[in-house]
Amino acid sequence: MNAAQEEMIALEEQLRVAMLGADVDALDRLIAPDLLFTTHMGQVIGKQQDLDMHRSGLLKFRAIEAGERLVAAHGPVGVVSARMKLVGSFGESPFNLDLRCTRTWRQGDDGRWQILAGHMSIA
């Protein structure tokens, strides 16, 4: 694994920790303003929707485990595809999901990496 790929894994870990802790400030830093994220149910959400779900407690994670990661990093763009085990609740509904998640990271002119796009599907 090269340095760029290792950086992508470190970013993914920052994201995992922020999601588990509903750390909206960290999520705000990690997510690009123009995020396009497709959920496993086919809905497309943006950054504000994502942050609002964490802020309000509508979406709560109890466990996020990544496995089988594939990482491609080229210049200011990185893509991570990982098998994800997600346990938590959405509103009053608990979930325990096995998903494949692909995220596209983009490095801005300021050197900061943010998620530009993501997609989840049932694995």
Side-chain angles (χ1 to χ4, degrees):
M1 187 173 292
N2 65 34
Q5 289 171 315
E6 288 176 8
E7 187 168 16
M8 291 295 100
I9 297 296
L11 288 163
E12 286 281 319
E13 179 59 14
Q14 288 177 35
L15 178 65
R16 188 186 75 79
V17 169
M19 290 169 64
L20 275 171
D23 184 343
V24 176
D25 291 335
L27 291 168
D28 186 39
R29 287 189 301 274
L30 292 167
I31 299 171
D34 48 351
L35 171 75
L36 292 175
F37 191 88
T38 305
T39 72
H40 68 289
M41 296 178 64
Q43 299 163 310
V44 178
I45 63 171
K47 179 176 182 170
Q48 276 318 128
Q49 289 170 286
D50 190 315
L51 295 178
D52 288 347
M53 285 188 290
H54 289 279
R55 185 180 291 114
S56 69
L58 177 65
L59 177 62
K60 295 180 186 172
F61 290 102
R62 287 195 327 274
I64 301 173
E65 298 173 19
E68 190 189 326
R69 279 194 187 125
L70 303 170
V71 182
H74 302 281
V77 176
V79 177
V80 178
S81 178
R83 187 93 177 245
M84 305 292 292
K85 171 101 170 144
L86 303 175
V87 179
S89 60
F90 188 82
E92 298 297 316
S93 302
F95 60 80
N96 187 337
L97 299 168
D98 183 13
L99 302 171
R100 168 66 64 177
C101 182
T102 301
R103 280 188 274 273
T104 302
W105 292 83
R106 167 187 68 189
Q107 188 175 34
D109 294 337
D110 61 359
R112 184 173 50 156
W113 286 91
Q114 292 185 310
I115 302 163
L116 179 60
H119 185 272
M120 286 188 152
S121 61
I122 302 294

